[in-house]
Amino acid sequence: MKISFIGAGNMAEAIITGLIEKEICQNDQIYVTNRNNKEKMEELEHRHGLHSTYNMKELLQSTDIIIFAVKPKDADAVLQKIFPYIEKNTVFVSVLAGISIHFMEERLHKKSPIVRAMPNTSASVGKSATAITFNQNVTLKQKQLTLDIFSAIGMTAVVEETQLDAITGLAGSGPAYIYYLVEAMEQSAKDMGLEAELAKQLILQTLSGATEMLMSSDKEAAELRREVTSPGGTTEAGITILQQRAVKEAVIECVKTAAKQSEKLGFSHESQHINSL
């Protein structure tokens, strides 16, 4: 199997790391390119033992899967550059927020099998939550291959394309929200005089334990929270502050705004395409 990455940023490396760690493919079966950051390419080649190249023929010839991981703003230009080299039966997998299958079909100028996948950077530790949707040209065998690749780096869910903007806001950007919460907890520990490494261990174990409770219990998150919150106790005192500061409403708005931004990115690219006709 040959897997070619167009784009060598954080998401691409997270997927590459997951593929290698889970032994889905060998290092020398992975090819990667980026726009012009040769230093980054050499770094990836050294760290992962893969192939890096700016030769489009070398990159895309006889490849089974292309994983398209450039910045959304660069999608149009890159698609126009690569489409002459893409072979008919190569599966084209985009992990770009907001870029529709329809847009890619028009830019590739052929009936390519196209997949949109929305993983998150937890792919690098095999814990991504990836939503996937396919166009009508993807065969059953190709669907299974794509699912196998993304299942190796976490859980997968096949969804309608109309759901992807919401999933991008929820799960695609989700790890950053958790890291932001941990930042705040670490700062509170520092303010109270706790040693940083001890605080980090306590926070991470607390998150891990809460996650395990949510995954193993039939109870809803709200019920588990109420069970921990004794009247007049320490947890209630803390939760009261979160409620007073409208933290729940802020998180809801955070996810919705991220989803709207994904939708906006797609609308922007579709509008640019229409204006260019």
Side-chain angles (χ1 to χ4, degrees):
M1 180 165 59
K2 179 180 177 181
I3 302 178
S4 298
F5 285 79
I6 299 173
N10 293 334
M11 179 57 72
E13 185 167 17
I15 298 171
I16 288 167
T17 302
L19 291 174
I20 294 171
E21 289 288 330
K22 296 295 182 178
E23 300 182 350
I24 296 302
C25 60
Q26 301 299 316
N27 308 56
D28 61 2
Q29 294 174 307
I30 300 174
Y31 288 70
V32 64
T33 195
N34 62 17
R35 185 166 58 180
N36 53 24
N37 190 340
K38 188 175 181 181
E39 183 179 347
K40 175 66 173 179
M41 295 260 284
E42 291 174 348
E43 180 184 321
L44 285 173
E45 188 168 352
H46 176 74
R47 183 156 57 238
H48 298 291
L50 46 74
H51 301 280
S52 65
T53 181
Y54 287 112
N55 184 316
M56 290 296 104
K57 186 174 181 180
E58 179 187 4
L59 179 76
L60 300 176
Q61 188 174 46
S62 302
T63 192
D64 297 282
I65 291 186
I66 297 168
I67 297 183
F68 191 52
V70 302
K71 291 181 171 62
K73 68 181 180 64
D74 298 326
D76 191 16
V78 178
L79 285 169
Q80 292 192 61
K81 178 181 179 180
I82 66 174
F83 90 84
Y85 302 95
I86 296 177
E87 298 174 355
K88 182 179 179 181
N89 294 320
T90 298
V91 184
F92 190 85
V93 181
S94 168
V95 297
L96 277 61
I99 307 300
S100 71
I101 285 176
H102 174 72
F103 180 86
M104 290 183 285
E105 286 173 337
E106 294 209 331
R107 280 298 188 258
L108 293 176
H109 302 287
K110 59 188 75 177
K111 293 185 177 180
S112 297
I114 297 176
V115 180
R116 279 188 68 187
M118 183 44 58
N120 58 41
T121 53
S122 299
S124 62
V125 293
K127 296 291 184 180
S128 177
T130 305
I132 300 175
T133 190
F134 308 96
N135 78 349
Q136 69 275 12
N137 300 319
V138 183
T139 67
L140 288 175
K141 184 177 180 180
Q142 290 169 334
K143 286 181 180 180
Q144 191 58 57
L145 176 59
T146 306
L147 289 169
D148 287 345
I149 287 173
F150 285 99
S151 293
I153 56 174
M155 67 151 285
T156 61
V158 177
V159 302
E160 296 296 325
E161 187 175 15
T162 53
Q163 297 177 292
L164 279 183
D165 290 327
I167 291 169
T168 298
L170 182 68
S173 301
Y177 312 150
I178 305 301
Y179 303 150
Y180 191 82
L181 173 62
V182 171
E183 284 181 61
M185 294 178 75
E186 287 177 335
Q187 184 61 52
S188 70
K190 181 180 179 180
D191 292 348
M192 294 185 294
L194 291 178
E195 192 268 328
E197 187 57 36
L198 172 62
K200 182 177 180 179
Q201 291 175 10
L202 291 169
I203 292 166
L204 295 184
Q205 184 60 32
T206 300
L207 285 171
S208 176
T211 300
E212 188 64 32
M213 285 288 290
L214 286 164
M215 294 182 72
S216 62
S217 175
D218 293 331
K219 298 175 181 178
E220 297 292 330
E223 185 176 355
L224 290 171
R225 171 180 58 80
R226 286 192 292 269
E227 289 179 353
V228 181
T229 311
S230 303
T234 58
T235 305
E236 184 182 62
I239 291 290
T240 297
I241 295 299
L242 296 179
Q243 292 172 336
Q244 289 175 353
R245 300 292 177 89
V247 171
K248 182 176 181 180
E249 289 75 14
V251 172
I252 292 170
E253 191 61 26
C254 161
V255 174
K256 288 181 176 180
T257 300
K260 288 176 183 176
Q261 179 65 13
S262 176
E263 186 178 349
K264 181 180 177 182
L265 287 170
F267 179 77
S268 173
H269 279 82
E270 293 291 347
S271 298
Q272 289 174 15
H273 175 56
I274 291 169
N275 291 335
S276 70
L277 294 178

